[in-house]
Amino acid sequence: MDQFLVKPLFGEGAVAWYTPTNVTLWMALTVLAIFALLGLGSARRAIVPSRGQSIAELAYGFIYKMVEDVTGSDGVKYFPYVMTIFMFIVVSNFLGLLPTAFTTTSHLAVTVVLALLVFVSVTVIGFVKHGAGFLGLFWVSDAPLPLRPILALIEVISYFVRPVSHSIRLMGNMMAGHAVIKVFAAFAPLILISGMGILVTPLSILAITAMYALETLVAFIQAYVFTILTCVYLKDALHPSH
């Protein structure tokens, strides 16, 4: 699990909140990659788009339609926020697939901050727009009256569990895939050690290739899942009534 260790960029010793680390380095590279993709890629807008412009337009249209479909037309004004979250996660995931790279989204500290930002944001939006009416999210008016207090308690618990599941899902999937690849990679050098390596090494390389292809898909899917859940939570804040 040494690939997930947080290390200082300069020197040795304990990591404090102000210490530049491999995590901060790769988060900074993520921001630069997003700027290059969306900013520089679409700087020269043309009728026949370049590859960079095409990717930027596809990402923009994909997330815009997601926000509009899930939250409704009144949720479109929050599109820049949702777009920022998606781009940060998806670019972080893909950069983490590079050799010797550090996957920032495999750390709970990063995913918890992202999940808490969403949780606090949608809660504030809900109370600002609806006041005490936002509490209607927890009151299942269609259920029989004796069951409503019990269901309300369940709804409250599930609401506060959201940032936990939201963050652990992303972190767990990104960490698990990289750990499995590392396990298969440990078998690759056996061809240099024993005769069994003639059989084991090609199989391990094949398994690494298959897992890498799967991780490429997972990198996008996990960014998509995190983003669409953000839209669902935003929809609850905009339309809290059951």
Side-chain angles (χ1 to χ4, degrees):
M1 304 295 286
D2 58 324
Q3 61 178 314
F4 304 112
L5 292 178
V6 178
K7 302 174 183 177
L9 287 180
F10 311 105
E12 300 292 338
V15 175
W17 65 268
Y18 53 82
T19 305
T21 64
N22 47 355
V23 180
T24 53
L25 171 64
W26 282 97
M27 284 197 291
L29 291 175
T30 298
V31 173
L32 290 175
I34 294 171
F35 174 76
L37 179 62
L38 299 183
L40 301 180
S42 59
R44 297 180 178 178
R45 291 182 291 274
I47 297 177
V48 180
S50 62
R51 292 179 181 178
Q53 183 180 337
S54 297
I55 294 173
E57 289 177 354
L58 284 172
Y60 184 98
F62 177 71
I63 301 302
Y64 188 92
K65 189 174 187 305
M66 180 194 299
V67 173
E68 189 176 39
D69 289 347
V70 176
T71 66
S73 57
D74 52 343
V76 170
K77 62 182 177 181
Y78 303 104
F79 161 74
Y81 181 62
V82 179
M83 179 72 173
T84 301
I85 290 175
F86 173 79
M87 291 305 301
F88 179 80
I89 294 175
V90 76
V91 174
S92 294
N93 291 351
F94 280 121
L95 285 181
L97 294 173
L98 298 175
T100 72
F102 188 91
T103 311
T104 54
T105 46
S106 67
H107 262 265
L108 194 60
V110 175
T111 59
V112 162
V113 170
L114 291 171
L116 284 176
L117 284 173
V118 173
F119 178 77
V120 172
S121 298
V122 298
T123 304
V124 170
I125 290 170
F127 278 110
V128 168
K129 288 186 68 69
H130 305 284
F134 178 62
L135 298 176
L137 178 66
F138 310 110
W139 190 252
V140 187
S141 56
D142 295 336
L145 186 59
L147 290 178
R148 291 179 192 177
I150 300 173
L151 293 176
L153 178 61
I154 294 173
E155 289 288 338
V156 169
I157 293 172
S158 65
Y159 186 82
F160 283 96
V161 169
R162 281 180 176 182
V164 178
S165 60
H166 209 188
S167 58
I168 290 178
R169 181 185 295 107
L170 175 59
M171 180 274 294
N173 279 279
M174 298 313 299
M175 176 180 282
H178 286 67
V180 171
I181 291 175
K182 190 69 176 286
V183 169
F184 285 129
F187 292 100
L190 285 180
I191 195 170
L192 304 175
I193 301 172
S194 65
M196 287 187 61
I198 298 175
L199 176 64
V200 174
T201 296
L203 290 176
S204 66
I205 294 174
L206 183 62
I208 292 169
T209 305
M211 279 301 303
Y212 201 89
L214 180 61
E215 277 298 285
T216 304
L217 180 63
V218 168
F220 175 79
I221 290 177
Q222 288 307 310
Y224 172 78
V225 169
F226 194 99
T227 308
I228 200 167
L229 284 175
T230 300
C231 293
V232 171
Y233 299 157
L234 181 59
K235 173 182 172 292
D236 290 340
L238 297 173
H239 312 285
S241 299
H242 276 275

